[in-house]
Amino acid sequence: MPDHSRLAGGAEFDAVRALLARWGSVAKGIGDDAAVLDVPRGDSLVASVDATIEGRHFREGWLAPEEIGYRSATAALSDLAAMAARPLAMLVALTLPERWRPRLDALADGLGEAAREHGLPIVGGNISNADELSITITVLGSAREVLRRNTLSPGDALWLTGALGGPGAAIRAWSNGSAPHEAHRARFSRPSARIHEARWLAAAGATAAIDVSDGLAADLGQLAAASGVIVDVELERVPLVVGVSAEQAIASGEEYELVVGARGDFEATAFTERFGIPLTRIGAVRAGVVDVVLTRAGSRVANPPGYDHLSR
Amino acid sequence: MPDHSRLAGGAEFDAVRALLARWGSVAKGIGDDAAVLDVPRGDSLVASVDATIEGRHFREGWLAPEEIGYRSATAALSDLAAMAARPLAMLVALTLPERWRPRLDALADGLGEAAREHGLPIVGGNISNADELSITITVLGSAREVLRRNTLSPGDALWLTGALGGPGAAIRAWSNGSAPHEAHRARFSRPSARIHEARWLAAAGATAAIDVSDGLAADLGQLAAASGVIVDVELERVPLVVGVSAEQAIASGEEYELVVGARGDFEATAFTERFGIPLTRIGAVRAGVVDVVLTRAGSRVANPPGYDHLSR
């Protein structure tokens, strides 16, 4: 990694060497003080950072180390998807407790797999000893035109990729001491960053976007607040994973699905044929004082509490 | 911050709001899933990440929270300096224990001050609850031509900015339970990222560069290894802070001074007039099997052990 691959030896260098060995050709240009990259001419640079912390974003025993790595990268990549950006590169900063050292290879494999899937090189990072495992990922992307949160307009329809509720159901099961349904577990352990889907949606006329990381209702609150609008969502329309209620689904975080606005309709069938997941019109946007209005059979239902990492 | 400024409220949003209030106009374009930036046309993007962890990079009681924030940003910015890049933007990822919450404003002030000094906006970040304080900073910069580590050539002279030994002396004093000399403490608590100095050196013909983060001897080892050369350093030539031996100075880490190679001479007097610090020729580069050869009065002296964060 640029700033800490001390060739002079030591435990830190051993850890970096282990990472580089696992990453192979997905690690690129590492070994200087910083990475040097080219942003495609005419594109803007898109940058975001996201952290995954043991005991906050997952508990030991829930996930295999490969899954923790994969998931951390996906969470960061999802921010690029929400901007409809093309991934350019990733930097990985780890704080690594002694007891995680034997699992470093597996963590690296998960990170490397996510990077490889999206064709983005790991160009730098940092590794520090610590008492808590944390994986802080900076993603760099590029886009000619980005999708923002503050560009939703009254009259837009609201669309959602995929089906919700899996991660929430998996966490409920684990928290109750039971094994989650495999479909729920997979949605938590191996989420997808909707990078390609976002670019399809942007090209097809999406007006605004956000990724579902804190739960649909909470993220719609962000979108509504940023755009200064009311969003109406019919709960019956929200696609659900098996065995989950709409109320549970809209409070389920870390879904990494996308909500986008659109003036007209999308060709949802073409989207599903291409990406293998639904694209569903779940509501609409109107003018008024910022609000998220959830209805079932035409009657308003209460909004769930927001998903708050810090209060967990 | 792009991905976690949950307008829906909660402790996390309160923390983000506190940061944004302290940062004022230095925080720019925050509030979407990712930051959108323009890299100057014709420039490459330069990116690096660096983490500062409580108990590893400093101990509680050594530094005021403002100093911890300032220092964290400087450590990251120093990697841009080592590439002779112009700072473009910074992203700040914090893991924040409950007991650090009352000091969040002060941490933010230190980060904000470093950003303001270098005219670089804070464009995003992440905040998570945790048991350990960590500050992970991604710096983004740009450069038409960067200074690398692997471009030192036999025949180059080696030059050093500033005077070494302060941070090492401060840590020794604290570790012995005494108060460090104020000049030593200041070099640890308020280091400078040599951003402007690096661009001056690059324009004046520097051939390669590294910043002194692990101690001069260890970092010279990196430079020698990357370039496949032997570097010779005369210890008598290394500028020292008051009350420190050359042996101590070359093992002192987190200096954030620069070592550069050059084919010819620099106008050291002009450099010092401009930047208020010395620029000193400390050695030379020759062909041979990678090594750092330290001499005093013409005789070789032993290399100090490398500085290794993980083993501390």
Side-chain angles (χ1 to χ4, degrees), chain A residues 49-51 57 75 79 149 213-214 222 254 256 307 309, chain B residues 1-7 9 12-14 16 32-33 125-128:
Chain A
V49 62
D50 194 79
H57 296 90
D79 285 324
R149 292 182 178 181
S213 54
D214 289 357
Q222 296 290 329
E254 296 167 46
Y256 307 119
Y307 183 95
H309 293 292
Chain B
M1 344 273 281
D3 37 356
H4 281 285
S5 60
R6 301 307 167 199
L7 296 181
E12 189 172 328
F13 178 60
D14 291 342
V16 173
D32 216 315
D33 293 284
N126 192 84
I127 189 157
S128 305

Side-chain angles (χ1 to χ4, degrees), chain A:
Chain A
M1 347 270 283
D3 37 358
H4 281 284
S5 60
R6 301 306 167 198
L7 296 181
E12 188 170 330
F13 177 60
D14 291 342
V16 173
R17 194 157 43 186
L19 288 174
L20 295 181
R22 303 307 293 190
W23 287 339
S25 64
V26 86
K28 282 209 174 71
I30 287 180
D32 216 316
D33 293 285
V36 181
L37 300 162
D38 284 316
V39 175
R41 187 189 297 255
D43 276 16
S44 290
L45 170 66
V46 181
S48 183
V49 62
D50 194 79
T52 295
I53 324 265
E54 183 183 5
R56 315 282 166 179
H57 296 90
F58 66 92
R59 303 238 166 87
E60 206 167 352
W62 288 9
L63 296 174
E66 290 85 352
E67 292 169 332
I68 295 165
Y70 187 89
R71 212 175 161 280
S72 307
T74 300
L77 281 163
S78 183
D79 285 324
L80 292 186
M83 305 296 283
R86 217 182 307 251
L88 200 61
M90 189 162 107
L91 296 99
V92 176
L94 294 175
T95 66
L96 190 68
E98 199 55 53
R99 67 196 165 76
W100 273 89
R101 289 287 189 95
R103 289 171 280 180
L104 181 60
D105 279 2
L107 274 175
D109 286 350
L111 288 162
E113 193 184 343
R116 206 167 281 119
E117 265 180 21
H118 289 284
L120 92 163
I122 300 173
V123 297
N126 193 83
I127 190 158
S128 305
N129 197 3
D131 293 331
E132 267 178 324
L133 177 74
S134 72
I135 308 174
T136 303
I137 302 208
T138 303
V139 282
L140 303 174
S142 82
R144 189 133 320 193
E145 287 185 53
V146 296
L147 281 181
R148 297 192 182 265
R149 292 182 178 181
N150 63 0
T151 44
L152 213 56
S153 301
D156 283 0
L158 273 182
W159 295 76
L160 174 74
T161 66
L164 303 183
I171 292 173
R172 272 194 306 282
W174 277 312
S175 302
N176 295 335
S178 57
H181 188 297
E182 187 43 46
H184 298 165
R185 187 188 187 285
R187 288 283 302 149
F188 184 81
S189 65
R190 222 183 150 76
S192 294
R194 301 299 186 194
I195 296 281
H196 298 291
E197 292 84 346
R199 292 178 58 210
W200 188 99
L201 291 164
T207 55
I210 194 168
D211 65 324
V212 180
S213 54
D214 289 357
L216 178 66
D219 291 312
L220 285 173
Q222 296 290 329
L223 204 53
S227 295
V229 295
I230 299 172
V231 304
D232 292 301
V233 170
E234 298 171 59
L235 288 189
E236 298 92 332
R237 289 181 177 269
V238 177
L240 310 174
V241 298
V242 61
V244 165
S245 72
E247 284 73 10
Q248 291 171 329
I250 62 169
S252 169
E254 296 167 46
E255 294 276 355
Y256 307 119
E257 296 298 346
L258 298 176
V259 189
V260 301
R263 259 152 244 137
D265 272 358
F266 290 116
E267 292 191 37
T269 313
F271 180 94
T272 300
E273 273 168 19
R274 173 86 172 268
F275 300 112
I277 54 168
L279 176 64
T280 312
R281 193 182 179 292
I282 57 165
V285 180
R286 64 187 154 102
V289 178
V290 171
D291 204 357
V292 177
V293 177
L294 307 172
T295 57
R296 175 183 291 286
S299 299
R300 184 160 188 177
V301 299
N303 293 29
Y307 183 95
D308 184 348
H309 293 292
L310 278 185
S311 67
R312 283 205 292 171

